[in-house]
Amino acid sequence: MRTRFTFLALALLLGAAACAADPGGSGSPASPDDSGSGGPSPSSSAAGAAGTWGNPENTREPSLELHEDGRLTGTDGCNRLMGQWVLEEGKVIFKEVAMTMMACPDVDQWLASAVSAVPAADTLLVYDGAGNEIGTLTR
């Protein structure tokens, strides 16, 4: 019995460590640019993308929070979203996004199709997997 408990505890610990690891090996969006490319560093661009988009106080409308540490949380106006984000060449890429699956007949759940976004001043332009703009969120 003790061996089974030790094995279970080890499996849970390893699972938690894997969840905390950087999924793509690309560093967090707030990490400095070591590439020497001469372009804007991800840290300054990530600071422009990080933050609250939409109004999270209104749970019937879509909103996203892009946390400085690369996490994302939000809602599509019905379901809760959570996952990761990275900044690549000025574009926010959503990764490992999970969401609840409640049925909400009167809510346009366009944010569930989001794959990427581009911050432009105080607007986040959101795109699906085909590159079509599917919506916008404001700061």
Side-chain angles (χ1 to χ4, degrees):
M1 180 69 174
R2 183 174 183 170
T3 302
R4 190 178 314 171
F5 176 75
T6 302
F7 178 74
L8 178 60
L10 181 60
L12 289 172
L13 181 62
L14 289 174
C19 289
D22 182 12
S26 61
S28 73
S31 64
D33 181 14
D34 295 331
S35 66
S37 64
S41 72
S43 61
S44 63
S45 298
T52 302
W53 299 93
N55 179 6
E57 300 296 320
N58 183 353
T59 58
R60 300 289 292 166
E61 295 290 327
S63 67
L64 281 177
E65 184 161 356
L66 303 179
H67 301 269
E68 295 276 344
D69 65 1
R71 292 179 302 115
L72 75 85
T73 55
T75 181
D76 66 359
C78 173
N79 291 290
R80 301 293 305 157
L81 298 147
M82 67 225 68
Q84 305 290 318
W85 69 280
V86 296
L87 193 69
E88 296 177 0
E89 299 177 9
K91 181 188 274 187
V92 174
I93 307 296
F94 302 121
K95 296 186 173 197
E96 300 177 13
V97 177
M99 62 187 296
T100 60
M101 299 298 288
M102 298 185 310
C104 301
D106 296 333
V107 176
D108 180 1
Q109 297 172 300
W110 61 268
L111 194 53
S113 301
V115 172
S116 64
V118 176
D122 286 337
T123 303
L124 187 68
L125 307 171
V126 183
Y127 297 89
D128 66 12
N132 300 312
E133 183 179 321
I134 57 173
T136 60
L137 296 169
T138 58
R139 275 203 200 268

